[in-house]
Amino acid sequence: MKIVLAAILLTALVVIGSRISVIHLILARIERVPGVRHLLLTGTEFVLVGLLLGTHVGFGVLDGATLSGLAPAFGLGLAWIGLLFGIQWDLRRLPPTTRALIPASIAQAAGTGIFVAVGTKALLLTLGWSAASSWLGALSLGAAAAGTAGIPDSIRTDAGLQRLLRTVADVDGVVPILTFGLVCCMPLLHGGDPQWWVWLAFSVGLGLAVGLVVIVLGTYRLSEDDLLVVLFGAVLLSGGTALQLSLSPLLVNAIAGVLIANVARPRTCAAIRRLLLEGDRAVYILFLLLAGALWNPTPDSSLALALLYVVVRIVGKWLSAHWALRNWLPKEQLRRVGLGLVSHDGLAVAIAVNLRLLTDSPMADLVTTVVLVGVMINELLAPLMAATAVTAAGEGEVTA
Amino acid sequence: MKRILVAGVLVGIILLTQYFTTNVSPTAEATFIAGLILLGGHIAGHLLSRIGLPRITGYLGLGILLGPQSLAVIDPETATRLGFLKELAVAFIALAAGAELRLQQLRERIGTILSLTLSMAGFVSVSVFSFFFLVGSHFLPASTHMGEMEKAAVAVLLGILAVARSPSSALAVIRECRARGQFPETVLGVTVALDVLSIVLFALGLSVCQALVSSTVDLRFALTVGAELIGGVAMGLLLGAALAFYIGKVPGHLPLLLLGTALVVTHVAHGIADYVRDTHELPLHLEPLLICVTAGFTVRNLSAGGDRFAEAIHSVSLPVFVLFFCLAGASLDLQSLRTTWAAALLYVVVRGASLFGSCWFAARHDEDGAWYGISFLTQAGVSLGLALEVVRRFPDWGAVFATIAVAAISINQLIGPVAMKLALQSAHTSQTRS
C-alpha cells in the first residue's frame, strides 16, 4: 500500500512540478488582487510536503529507516546554511554602509531575541516546564526569532529604506548563529562536563580546522567536480562532528566560512561562494522537506504558543528596530520600520532542526512546532507588513 | 605535502570526535562518516592518480582502510546504515550510465558490441564452468562434504557469474579519464549489455541448479526473471518519459530531482518485491539498475532535454562516485579471501584469460582488439546481489559459492579499474584527458 502511495506521490510531484510554470502564469493574472500573490509558493510549503511524507501525521514514505539513511542530508543542510552565511563576511570588501550598520543590526536582532526569550521563559515556567527545559526552549526560540530574511522579492525595489532593511537582514544572522552556538556549549546539553568554554573552544577550533582544510585543498588547481567533493566533504564532516559533539553546525561552519572568505585564494573563495549559492535553493528545499518529515506536531497548546510567538516576535522586532535604528532614519519612517523586518529566515528552521537532532526531548518537539508554524505564518504576514513599512516611507506604491 | 597535512588534520578530527563524543546518534555519525569519506577519498584519489593509478582505486582503498576489517572507523552498523546511500548511488550511477549511451554511436558500433557481448557471454561462462567442473572442484572450500551434483551446480553458477560486469566502475573510470571515442563507448555499451544478460543467464542457471540438486525443474523462477526484465524495462521507459516531460517543462534543480528519482526508484523497486513476496510468494525483484539505465537512455536519446539531463548528472556525479566506491571498499569481505584465496585466484585467472581470449577473437579486426579484454575485469553490485540470491535459494551449499564469489569480486574490483584505465589510455580510438 505504502509503495502504491509512493508511486502516486512521485507521479503527482512530477506533474505538479512540471506545471509550476503554468502556476506562475496563473499567478501573474491574479497577482493584481491585493494580498493574494504572497499567499502562494512562499517556499515553506515544502515543510508541509515533508510533513505529509513523514510518519507522524503523513503517509510514512520518509519513515525512520529512510530518514536514518538520509541522515547526512540534515548535517549537510545545517552546515551549508552556516557556511554560506560565514563566507559572505569578507571583511576586506565589506561596504562602508554595511560596516557602519553592524552595531544597529545586531542591536535590533539581540533586542528581539531577548524580548522573545524573556517572554518564552516566563510562559514556559508558568506552564510547568522545568527550569532547565524552559531555559533551553527560551534561548532557542529567542535565537530563532532574532534573524530576518529581508525584504521579500515580490516587493523589492532599490529605494533607500529597502536598501537599509536588506543590509540589516544580511548582517543580523550573526545573533541567532552565535546565540544558538552558545546554547549548544552550555551545560543544558552537556551536563556541565567539561566547562562551557571548552565546548566553545571546540566550536571555534573545529570551524578553523575545517576552514583550513578547504583553504589548503583550494591551493591546488581543482576542477569544478573536485571542488564540489571538497565542499560537500567539508560541510558534512564539520556538520557531523559538531552534531556528534553536541555543538552547533551553524556556528562551526559560519566560523569556517569567515576564515575561507578572508584567507582563501580569491579564485577558490569565489568558486565556493558560487557553488554554495547555486546549491542553496536545492539544499534548502531538501532541508525543509526533511524538517517537515522530522516534525512531530505536538498537539493542543503548541499552536496557541506558535501564534503567541509570532505576535511577541513582531512586537519585539517593532520595538527593537525602532530603538536600534533611531540614528539612521527620520521619525516618520522609524515608526513602521520594524514591520519591514518581520520576515523569518531559514536560520530559524535550521535552529529548530538542529535542536531536534541534538535532543529528542518534548522541549525540542515544542520548539520545532512553534518555529515551523511561526515561520509559515510569518511568510504570509511579512510581505504585507513590509509593504506597509515601505509605502509609509514614501518609496512608491507597493501592492502586497 | 599539503594533502598529507590535511590528512593529518582529518585524523586529528577523528581522534577528537572519538574521545569527546557526547551524542552518539546515527544521524551525526553517518554525517561525519560521509564527510570523512568525501574528503579522504578526494585526497586518496589524487595521491594514487599521481602514480598513474585510477582514483577509484584510492576510493576503494580508503574504504578498506576505514572499514570494519581495518581501522573500523566505519563499523558494521554504520556501514549497514550507509548501505542505503550506496543503493541510492547505484540507481543514480545507472541513470548516468544510461545517459552515456548514445543511440547514434551505438548504432555505428552495434556489430562490435554484439559480437563482444555474445562472444564473452558464451566463451567466458563455458571456460569458467569447465575449469571448475573438470579441474578446480577440489579447490572449493568444504568440497569433501559436497556431492557431484552440488559441485556441478557451483561450477555452473561461477561460470555465469563470470559474465557479470560493473557499469558503475566502468563509468567512473571513463569519467575520470574524460575518455571519448569509439573504444570507451563500446566498452560501456558492452558492460551494460553484459550486466543485463548476466541477470537472465543467472535466472536460467538457478533453475538448472535446482534441477541438478533436487531433480525437479522449477521454471517459475525463470519466468519471474522474465517478468522482472520486462517490468524493469517498462518502468524505465515510463520513468524516462516522465523525466523528459519534467525537464522540458521546468528549468533548474535537476540534480536534486535526479537524486530524488534514484531514491524513489530504489524504494519502489524494493517495495514491490516485498509486496509480491508477501502476497504471492514470488521472488520478483525489479532491478533498480535496469530501471534507471533504461530511464537514462530514454531521456538522453528520445527527448530534447537529453543534453541538459546529461549535464545535470555530470555536475553531481563525482561526490556520488566517491561515496559509492569508498562504501563498496568498506564492505569488501577480505576475510573470505583467507579461506578461499586459492579458488578465488583461480577464478580470477581463468576468467581474465577467457575474457582476453574471447575479446581478442571477437574484435580481431578492430585496431583496439587487444585492449578490450582487460577493460571488463571489474565486478561489483549486481554480482554480489546474485551471489546472495544463491545463498537464499540453496542454503546447504550456497555459502560455499558466495564465499568464493565475494572473494573473487573483491580481487576483480581492485585490479579491474587499474586495468581499465590502462586500456583507455592505450587504445587508439580513445582520447583521454586525465
Side-chain angles (χ1 to χ4, degrees):
Chain A
M1 189 60 195
K2 184 180 156 187
I3 294 310
V4 178
L5 280 173
I8 292 169
L9 199 64
L10 170 70
T11 315
L13 282 175
V14 169
V15 172
I16 291 168
S18 68
R19 298 288 178 189
I20 281 176
S21 52
V22 180
I23 290 175
H24 277 302
L25 281 177
I26 298 167
L27 270 182
R29 289 180 187 278
I30 64 168
E31 70 181 2
R32 292 174 202 116
V33 182
V36 166
R37 67 175 164 172
H38 302 304
L39 297 176
L40 295 167
L41 298 172
T42 55
T44 42
E45 68 272 15
F46 291 104
V47 175
L48 292 176
V49 176
L51 189 65
L52 287 175
L53 293 175
T55 50
H56 294 297
V57 292
F59 300 116
V61 176
L62 292 175
D63 56 12
T66 310
L67 284 174
S68 174
L70 283 170
F74 288 108
L76 176 79
L78 289 171
W80 197 280
I81 293 169
L83 193 66
L84 184 58
F85 180 79
I87 210 165
Q88 288 165 10
W89 284 82
D90 182 349
L91 300 174
R92 294 160 301 184
R93 293 190 179 82
L94 220 51
T97 325
T98 307
R99 207 181 284 266
L101 255 174
I102 289 174
S105 307
I106 290 176
Q108 71 78 24
T112 310
I114 291 167
F115 193 75
V116 171
V118 169
T120 310
K121 171 77 180 162
L123 187 64
L124 290 174
L125 283 176
T126 313
L127 291 174
W129 290 84
S130 69
S133 287
S134 59
W135 268 122
L136 187 63
L139 290 172
S140 302
L141 284 176
T148 314
I151 293 279
D153 289 343
S154 50
I155 60 165
R156 184 175 283 204
T157 66
D158 201 33
L161 178 66
Q162 294 188 48
R163 269 208 305 271
L164 181 127
L165 291 176
R166 266 206 303 279
T167 310
V168 170
D170 286 345
V171 172
D172 72 358
V174 171
V175 175
I177 287 179
L178 204 56
T179 308
F180 190 71
L182 285 169
V183 169
C184 293
C185 296
M186 288 168 64
L188 296 167
L189 292 171
H190 298 281
D193 185 33
Q195 293 289 315
W196 68 271
W197 57 267
V198 177
W199 293 115
L200 182 63
F202 276 162
S203 295
V204 176
L206 187 59
L208 294 177
V210 171
L212 186 72
V213 165
V214 175
I215 291 164
V216 171
L217 290 176
T219 56
Y220 294 98
R221 192 169 284 275
L222 296 180
S223 68
E224 189 101 323
D225 297 352
D226 280 321
L227 197 60
L228 193 65
V229 172
V230 170
L231 184 63
F232 269 121
V235 291
L236 284 168
L237 183 82
S238 57
T241 311
L243 287 175
Q244 275 195 298
L245 297 174
S246 291
L247 301 172
S248 163
L250 291 166
L251 178 63
V252 168
N253 281 278
I255 292 168
V258 173
L259 186 71
I260 293 166
N262 291 281
V263 179
R265 288 181 174 178
R267 189 176 58 86
T268 310
C269 191
I272 289 175
R273 195 178 291 133
R274 187 172 43 74
L275 282 174
L276 283 170
L277 285 170
E278 273 176 12
D280 184 42
R281 182 76 182 153
V283 169
Y284 189 54
I285 289 173
L286 183 67
F287 187 67
L288 290 176
L289 281 168
L290 294 176
L294 200 68
W295 180 18
N296 179 15
T298 42
D300 306 333
S301 56
S302 57
L303 189 65
L305 280 174
L307 289 170
L308 204 58
Y309 165 80
V310 171
V311 173
V312 172
R313 182 175 176 273
I314 290 173
V315 174
K317 278 281 169 198
W318 184 56
L319 290 174
S320 57
H322 189 283
W323 167 70
L325 295 169
R326 65 192 180 281
N327 295 329
W328 286 85
L329 292 168
K331 262 190 180 168
E332 59 274 17
Q333 289 191 9
L334 254 186
R335 211 174 302 150
R336 289 182 181 169
V337 66
L339 298 178
L341 294 169
V342 163
S343 178
H344 231 325
D345 60 355
L347 277 175
V349 181
I351 285 171
V353 172
N354 199 157
L355 184 67
R356 181 71 177 66
L357 293 176
L358 291 179
T359 163
D360 199 10
S361 61
M363 179 49 75
D365 280 338
L366 180 73
V367 169
T368 311
T369 302
V370 169
V371 168
L372 290 180
V373 174
V375 166
M376 281 187 274
I377 296 172
N378 255 305
E379 286 285 328
L380 300 177
L381 295 178
L384 301 167
M385 294 193 166
T388 310
V390 170
T391 312
E395 292 185 353
E397 279 296 309
V398 180
T399 311
Chain B
M1 188 61 200
K2 285 185 279 186
R3 286 197 173 107
I4 291 170
L5 171 78
V6 171
V9 173
L10 294 182
V11 171
I13 291 175
I14 294 173
L15 294 175
L16 173 91
T17 311
Q18 289 191 336
Y19 191 76
F20 284 102
T21 290
T22 57
N23 176 23
V24 192
S25 83
T27 307
E29 197 176 16
T31 311
F32 170 73
I33 295 290
L36 190 65
I37 284 175
L38 285 172
L39 283 176
H42 169 80
I43 295 168
H46 271 274
L47 288 177
L48 284 202
S49 72
R50 290 186 71 167
I51 53 170
L53 292 173
R55 287 196 201 179
I56 176 178
T57 307
Y59 308 152
L60 287 164
L62 180 79
I64 292 169
L65 187 70
L66 296 178
Q69 291 166 47
S70 303
L71 297 177
V73 175
I74 307 174
D75 56 39
E77 200 183 322
T78 311
T80 309
R81 198 173 304 119
L82 288 170
F84 177 81
L85 213 57
K86 212 166 78 178
E87 286 180 0
L88 174 73
V90 168
F92 183 82
I93 292 169
L95 273 175
E100 287 289 318
L101 299 174
R102 277 169 291 181
L103 198 58
Q104 199 183 344
Q105 273 89 348
L106 289 179
R107 270 194 201 125
E108 290 165 12
R109 309 283 297 157
I110 192 71
T112 314
I113 290 174
L114 272 180
S115 70
L116 277 169
T117 304
L118 295 175
S119 150
M120 274 195 279
F123 190 68
V124 173
S125 56
V126 170
S127 302
V128 174
F129 162 74
S130 307
F131 178 82
F132 276 96
F133 184 63
L134 300 172
V135 186
S137 61
H138 57 275
F139 286 101
L140 300 176
S143 61
T144 48
H145 305 296
M146 291 168 70
E148 284 307 308
M149 287 299 126
E150 287 171 339
K151 285 179 187 172
V154 171
V156 167
L157 293 175
L158 282 175
I160 293 170
L161 187 79
V163 176
R165 295 288 171 275
S166 169
S168 45
S169 304
L171 187 63
V173 181
I174 288 172
R175 281 276 167 86
E176 182 192 327
C177 297
R178 297 184 208 171
R180 290 276 176 272
Q182 290 179 358
F183 183 77
E185 281 159 9
T186 309
V187 167
L188 192 61
V190 174
T191 301
V192 172
L194 277 171
D195 224 37
V196 176
L197 190 60
S198 69
I199 297 172
V200 181
L201 290 175
F202 211 78
L204 295 173
L206 284 177
S207 296
V208 170
C209 291
Q210 188 77 52
L212 281 174
V213 296
S214 65
S215 304
T216 57
V217 180
D218 181 10
L219 283 177
R220 204 170 60 148
F221 189 75
L223 289 175
T224 310
V225 169
E228 282 175 10
L229 287 172
I230 295 167
V233 171
M235 270 187 77
L237 285 171
L238 274 174
L239 181 66
L243 282 173
F245 180 69
Y246 188 96
I247 292 166
K249 295 283 179 190
V250 185
H253 304 315
L254 205 46
L256 184 65
L257 172 81
L258 295 176
L259 284 170
T261 303
L263 167 73
V264 173
V265 168
T266 310
H267 244 241
V268 170
H270 290 327
I272 290 175
D274 291 344
Y275 178 76
V276 175
R277 193 179 52 236
D278 293 345
T279 55
H280 298 88
E281 293 180 359
L282 278 175
L284 181 80
H285 178 68
L286 291 174
E287 185 58 60
L289 189 129
L290 182 61
I291 298 172
C292 289
V293 165
T294 312
F297 181 80
T298 308
V299 181
R300 183 66 197 264
N301 293 288
L302 306 177
S303 80
D307 289 342
R308 260 191 67 213
F309 171 73
E311 260 174 43
I313 281 189
H314 196 215
S315 68
V316 286
S317 61
L318 190 58
V320 176
F321 283 141
V322 178
L323 270 176
F324 174 74
F325 287 108
C326 277
L327 290 173
S331 63
L332 286 183
D333 185 7
L334 299 181
Q335 296 292 338
S336 64
L337 272 174
R338 286 188 189 164
T339 52
T340 58
W341 66 270
L345 206 59
L346 280 171
Y347 169 88
V348 170
V349 170
V350 174
R351 178 175 176 268
S354 54
L355 271 175
F356 191 80
S358 60
C359 287
W360 175 80
F361 176 75
R364 61 192 178 282
H365 303 304
D366 194 313
E367 58 181 322
D368 290 321
W371 294 110
Y372 280 113
I374 59 169
S375 305
F376 298 113
L377 293 177
T378 315
Q379 292 188 290
V382 169
S383 321
L384 287 171
L386 297 177
L388 294 178
E389 179 65 23
V390 175
V391 179
R392 197 185 67 77
R393 294 256 299 170
F394 304 103
D396 294 341
W397 51 268
V400 172
F401 167 80
T403 314
I404 301 170
V406 170
I409 290 165
S410 303
I411 298 173
N412 280 328
Q413 183 71 322
L414 290 173
I415 60 172
V418 181
M420 186 172 176
K421 185 174 181 182
L422 177 69
L424 286 172
Q425 289 176 333
S426 309
H428 294 98
T429 55
S430 166
Q431 292 89 44
T432 59
R433 285 203 294 146
S434 67

